[in-house]
Amino acid sequence: MNPAVARQFDALCQRLAAAPQRLELLDEAAALAVQQGDQARAATLYLDYIAHHQRHAGAQFNCGYYCRAAGLYPQAIAHYQRALELGISQPEEVYTNIGVIYNEGLLQNNNAIAAFQEALRIAPGYVPALYNLANCYEQNGDKKQAAHYFSRVIHYAPNFAMAYVRLADVHQAETSADPLIAKLQQLMTTQRVPLNERIDAAYALGKLCNDCGAYAEAWQYYQQANQWNATTMPAWDENRQRALLQSLQVEFNQPLPRATVDADAAQQPVFVCGMFRSGSTLLEQMLGGHSAISSGGELEFFPRLWQRIQAQGDGGLRDYLAQQREQDFVSLGRDYLAFVTERLGDVSYFTDKRPDSIWLLGLIKRALPQAKFIVTRRHPLDNALSVYFTRLGSSMAYANRFEDILRYIEVENELLRHWQQVLGDDLQVVNYDQLVAAPQQQLEPVLAELGLDWQESCLDFHRRNNSVRTASVWQVRQPLYQSSSGRWRNYADFLPELPELPTQP
């Protein structure tokens, strides 16, 4: 907080301490903390004072809201449930919020589905519950149910653009005359439709045209989508990205001790990372086919820490590392493993798959000396094309220009070469194109490094009954195929004149 806001916040807290029953002071202080980006402080405030409002349904709801924003998921659910017990109005909203926590925070899709269904039992046409239920079924690989519930959303909210966009994810267009294409074209070209929705419609149109081989039309839609998307965020700053690279090279400039696999260890984390759209989801699914390995998906523990570090500015990492004692890293590792246990249960080997975690490997290794790392790589043109065809957030602003994507890949390749020197054999690189062509040949050394034997079940990954929360959700529900290798040739006539391609580590 800036000094003036901090003084205002402290004054509110003093008044609240003197009159803890005054809910309006609690709400004002919590809201001020959130305005300053400190969700954790807002949640702590509410948890400190909620005992004074045990019979107030709205206060219980707000406590759940702030706990959810701070990542305190069990506490959030407990207070949402207390609000329901107190007879809060619009309980369908509360059940939907609980479902989102189970789905996105605790990675428990069965509990999420139950919560959404309870919301729909109360209010059958409640669109947020229908939409989130469709998301759950899509993550579970159930196209029929996902399409059904996206269609139900459209029935109750025919102007809800994202329902059409998400329906395109589970729909295979056979020709450019597909009715869904016509509807999305209408949404994309209607000026009164918000720009954010028109951007999503353009990406969806690109996907559907790619489905039916209309590559020129697909490229035009993807170009428009990226041009519009670029206007919603600052341009990618290559110099700043390289400055971060140099900072990591300075702060982690010595080889870190190599971990040995301990068969008796309670938990063995395996971090899967690399460039977005480079095959990390497929690799995690295949590893998860092994009887000893549990799939964690995109766990948010270290990314949340990284956000807090980066919020401190360009010197944030240096200052953070300078303040940490060895015992602090030990505690960080324990907190992470407790976080994993809360979501995955009592597991031994497990994967944590976040592509952008490649920037955190040194930090993770300090907290978890036993950690192993796998970085996925792919032909740069195929990788760049797949990124260009995906709407990514403002933290990945490079995705809006094809040339920027290739430059980002080169920066990340430089980072990978550095981590290879620092981490040695604790880091392995898996090439997507080689993986789909010769899966056992690529996976056996990976498993051996983890102290595990090869299992044929790794090739049955597409039959797994698990949830997948990435853009690759439908690709990994199919047996291995090689059609994505060399896909860039379908668009060779439309690609900009390119500089030298990034060199693979």
Side-chain angles (χ1 to χ4, degrees):
M1 293 184 182
N2 66 50
V5 175
R7 287 192 295 272
Q8 181 185 356
F9 181 81
D10 289 342
L12 273 171
C13 289
Q14 290 174 9
R15 293 172 63 194
L16 182 59
Q21 75 284 357
R22 291 185 61 183
L23 183 57
E24 75 278 9
L25 293 177
L26 177 57
D27 283 333
E28 189 175 350
L32 188 59
V34 169
Q35 287 170 14
Q36 297 301 304
D38 197 341
Q39 288 84 356
R41 186 174 293 188
T44 299
L45 266 177
Y46 244 96
L47 290 171
D48 286 346
Y49 287 97
I50 194 62
H52 297 278
H53 309 286
Q54 287 294 338
R55 304 295 302 172
H56 195 294
Q60 296 291 332
F61 178 90
N62 287 347
C63 191
Y65 172 84
Y66 288 121
C67 286
R68 173 188 167 190
L72 303 175
Y73 299 128
Q75 295 96 316
I77 290 173
H79 288 286
Y80 277 141
Q81 288 176 334
R82 178 61 178 157
L84 289 167
E85 292 168 3
L86 293 170
I88 193 168
S89 61
Q90 296 182 302
E92 65 274 15
E93 178 185 355
V94 185
Y95 278 112
T96 299
N97 288 353
I98 291 173
V100 170
I101 292 173
Y102 276 125
N103 174 242
E104 297 179 0
L106 295 175
L107 312 181
Q108 299 173 15
N109 257 20
N110 288 339
N111 287 336
I113 288 171
F116 296 138
Q117 288 175 337
E118 183 61 21
L120 294 172
R121 185 189 66 79
I122 297 166
Y126 189 57
V127 167
L130 289 167
Y131 184 76
N132 280 286
L133 187 56
N135 285 338
C136 279
Y137 282 120
E138 181 175 15
Q139 292 162 0
N140 285 352
D142 190 334
K143 273 192 177 184
K144 183 178 180 180
Q145 286 287 68
H148 169 75
Y149 282 103
F150 283 133
S151 297
R152 295 299 293 164
V153 172
I154 291 169
H155 172 78
Y156 286 104
N159 295 321
F160 188 3
M162 274 306 295
Y164 297 97
V165 169
R166 298 302 302 282
L167 191 58
D169 288 341
V170 299
H171 179 73
Q172 184 82 14
E174 299 295 336
T175 73
S176 56
D178 191 291
L180 184 55
I181 290 179
K183 178 60 183 181
L184 286 164
Q185 286 172 332
Q186 178 187 352
L187 290 169
M188 175 185 159
T189 56
T190 301
Q191 291 301 310
R192 68 175 180 273
V193 173
L195 176 61
N196 191 52
E197 296 177 5
R198 286 188 281 140
I199 293 171
D200 284 321
Y203 278 106
L205 282 164
K207 183 266 181 191
L208 293 172
C209 288
N210 181 78
D211 286 347
C212 59
Y215 300 124
E217 291 87 343
W219 182 257
Q220 290 175 352
Y221 286 127
Y222 282 128
Q223 270 195 313
Q224 184 64 79
N226 281 283
Q227 288 170 8
W228 280 342
N229 201 37
T231 67
T232 68
M233 62 186 71
W236 178 58
D237 187 338
E238 182 177 357
N239 291 331
R240 186 166 187 178
Q241 199 77 48
R242 288 192 173 277
L244 175 58
L245 167 63
Q246 292 167 5
S247 176
L248 292 168
Q249 290 169 330
V250 169
E251 298 297 338
F252 302 100
N253 60 3
Q254 298 294 324
L256 293 167
R258 187 187 176 201
T260 56
V261 174
D262 181 356
D264 297 323
Q267 292 163 298
Q268 293 282 351
V270 181
F271 290 83
V272 181
C273 57
M275 186 67 191
F276 280 88
R277 312 296 291 146
S278 66
S280 58
T281 301
L282 172 64
L283 177 61
E284 184 187 41
Q285 281 289 100
M286 297 179 80
L287 291 173
H290 195 286
S291 61
I293 302 177
S294 299
S295 299
E298 297 192 345
L299 300 175
E300 61 185 23
F301 182 92
F302 282 107
R304 277 183 178 269
L305 172 62
W306 188 240
Q307 285 177 355
R308 294 197 297 271
I309 292 172
Q310 288 193 303
Q312 303 306 310
D314 292 337
L317 176 63
R318 180 182 62 250
D319 294 342
Y320 174 81
L321 292 173
Q323 294 166 8
Q324 302 304 300
R325 300 165 300 169
E326 197 59 39
Q327 185 57 42
D328 294 324
F329 283 109
V330 172
S331 297
L332 181 63
R334 288 174 180 163
D335 289 345
Y336 170 78
L337 294 176
F339 171 94
V340 170
T341 300
E342 185 177 64
R343 283 149 183 79
L344 303 183
D346 186 16
V347 297
S348 178
Y349 290 88
F350 65 89
T351 51
D352 182 335
K353 188 207 76 72
R354 287 274 310 205
D356 49 354
S357 287
I358 191 172
W359 294 89
L360 315 183
L361 300 195
L363 183 61
I364 293 170
K365 190 66 169 174
R366 290 288 302 275
L368 296 161
Q370 75 273 37
K372 298 286 189 176
F373 306 98
I374 308 173
V375 177
T376 52
R377 276 295 176 260
R378 184 180 180 186
H379 187 287
L381 288 182
D382 282 331
N383 202 159
L385 200 70
S386 191
V387 169
Y388 192 68
F389 289 178
T390 307
R391 189 177 188 186
L392 299 175
S394 59
S395 63
M396 294 158 277
Y398 61 83
N400 296 315
R401 293 184 71 248
F402 201 83
E403 300 91 329
D404 285 351
I405 300 170
L406 291 174
R407 287 203 294 271
Y408 182 88
I409 290 174
E410 181 55 48
V411 174
E412 203 170 269
N413 284 346
E414 290 181 38
L415 176 64
L416 173 56
R417 285 187 279 269
H418 174 70
W419 290 138
Q420 287 175 312
Q421 295 175 359
V422 170
L423 296 169
D425 290 339
D426 280 344
L427 183 152
Q428 299 181 79
V429 177
V430 172
N431 181 282
Y432 167 84
D433 302 295
Q434 295 171 9
L435 178 65
V436 297
Q440 183 172 346
Q441 180 181 340
Q442 296 301 310
L443 283 179
E444 274 190 318
V446 172
L447 293 169
E449 182 62 33
L450 299 177
L452 298 172
D453 295 327
W454 166 255
Q455 290 182 358
E456 289 292 327
S457 56
C458 291
L459 301 181
D460 291 330
F461 63 92
H462 56 289
R463 295 192 176 97
R464 292 182 60 202
N465 185 25
N466 69 318
S467 297
V468 178
R469 294 169 168 81
T470 76
S472 301
V473 57
W474 295 117
Q475 290 93 320
V476 299
R477 302 298 183 186
Q478 306 173 53
L480 281 179
Y481 58 89
Q482 299 181 42
S483 57
S484 289
S485 293
R487 184 171 68 146
W488 66 269
R489 294 184 179 87
N490 296 329
Y491 294 91
D493 292 341
F494 317 118
L495 296 179
E497 190 170 335
L498 300 171
E500 185 176 346
L501 293 180
T503 56
Q504 297 275 16

